[in-house]
Amino acid sequence: VTVPMSIYAPQGVVLLSSVSNFDNTNTEVVSMTNKEQAGKIEINGTAKNITMKATIVNNYGKNIKEPKILGRIPFQGNKKTDGEELGSTVDTILTSGITLSGIDSSLATIYYSENAEATADINNPDNAWTTTINDATKIRSYLVVFTNYVMPQATSFDMAYNVQVPENLPHNENAFGTYTVYYNEEENNETIARESIAPTVGVSTGKGPELSA
């Protein structure tokens, strides 16, 4: 007996987060749920130049306008844009600029900031957004702005960057990144601002034995 099955993709603006290059097996860990996912890195190992990747899918059923991506690289004490702490315990260093694929990169302007809690407002001087990286060790936030761009329904694009995770980490060390996508949609002849927070992904040395006194 054949039982028909229907598989439904999530609706709306679907965000996927992934991390790779954290081990020697070309493993890629992908998160597309609200549960964080972590690639396992060895304790007391060498420094790792990991790749953090985001995939933005417009599965809304209609076009969206002027998307912006506001993100935090992994660093100690980083938070989602809603203020939720990610549980990162180590600082990483940005080792590449933001790259885009699956979309014309000339449509975007990419900004960086040393402000760990910068907002998506490029006109706010406190955010200190700049298109050049003067000291990669101090970068904490990034912003990708698509001006006058309409993202068609049923399309997607990728964004990626590399960071260096320190060497000789013990157990119980974590490095997670995050990003939020802001966009506009038209509904009943009105422009409505929306946002979607990405699932959390990063690397971890895992839990070690707890020693009791």
Side-chain angles (χ1 to χ4, degrees):
V1 177
T2 301
V3 179
M5 292 181 59
S6 297
I7 300 176
Y8 298 95
Q11 291 187 329
V13 174
V14 181
L15 307 180
L16 288 78
S17 304
S18 68
V19 61
S20 58
N21 297 326
F22 56 85
D23 61 14
N24 296 322
T25 62
N26 296 319
T27 303
E28 182 177 29
V29 171
V30 181
S31 177
M32 60 176 297
T33 65
N34 290 327
K35 183 180 180 181
E36 69 183 34
Q37 299 287 342
K40 181 68 178 299
I41 56 176
E42 61 184 349
I43 63 171
N44 301 319
T46 59
K48 302 289 191 298
N49 193 44
I50 65 172
T51 299
M52 304 288 288
K53 179 181 173 184
T55 300
I56 292 86
V57 183
N58 180 8
N59 201 32
Y60 221 99
K62 57 183 175 181
N63 299 343
I64 62 173
K65 296 181 177 180
E66 299 184 333
K68 298 179 183 179
I69 307 170
L70 172 63
R72 317 287 187 223
I73 74 166
F75 62 88
Q76 184 176 2
N78 62 351
K79 302 174 183 177
K80 294 182 179 181
T81 54
D82 63 1
E84 179 184 345
E85 293 192 3
L86 293 175
S88 296
T89 58
V90 296
D91 292 334
T92 66
I93 298 174
L94 190 68
T95 56
S96 77
I98 300 289
T99 60
L100 299 170
S101 58
I103 192 171
D104 182 356
S105 60
S106 68
L107 298 171
T109 304
I110 300 172
Y111 299 90
Y112 303 91
S113 177
E114 298 175 11
N115 185 340
E117 297 187 10
T119 69
D121 184 357
I122 59 175
N123 296 315
N124 184 341
D126 291 337
N127 289 328
W129 290 117
T130 177
T131 55
T132 58
I133 300 174
N134 295 318
D135 186 350
T137 65
K138 295 181 179 179
I139 297 299
R140 293 292 180 263
S141 302
Y142 59 85
L143 178 66
V144 182
V145 178
F146 295 88
T147 304
N148 299 321
Y149 172 66
V150 176
M151 184 178 182
Q153 60 177 321
T155 62
S156 66
F157 65 90
D158 297 324
M159 176 198 75
Y161 62 91
N162 297 331
V163 292
Q164 185 180 78
V165 179
E167 63 182 352
N168 296 324
L169 293 178
H171 281 297
N172 305 313
E173 298 286 8
N174 308 301
F176 293 107
T178 184
Y179 65 96
T180 297
V181 176
Y182 302 90
Y183 57 94
N184 295 324
E185 65 161 301
E186 297 293 331
E187 188 173 297
N188 298 324
N189 296 320
E190 293 184 7
T191 299
I192 301 175
R194 305 281 192 191
E195 65 180 74
S196 297
I197 299 177
T200 301
V201 75
V203 294
S204 174
T205 55
K207 292 184 178 181
E210 295 184 2
L211 301 178
S212 57

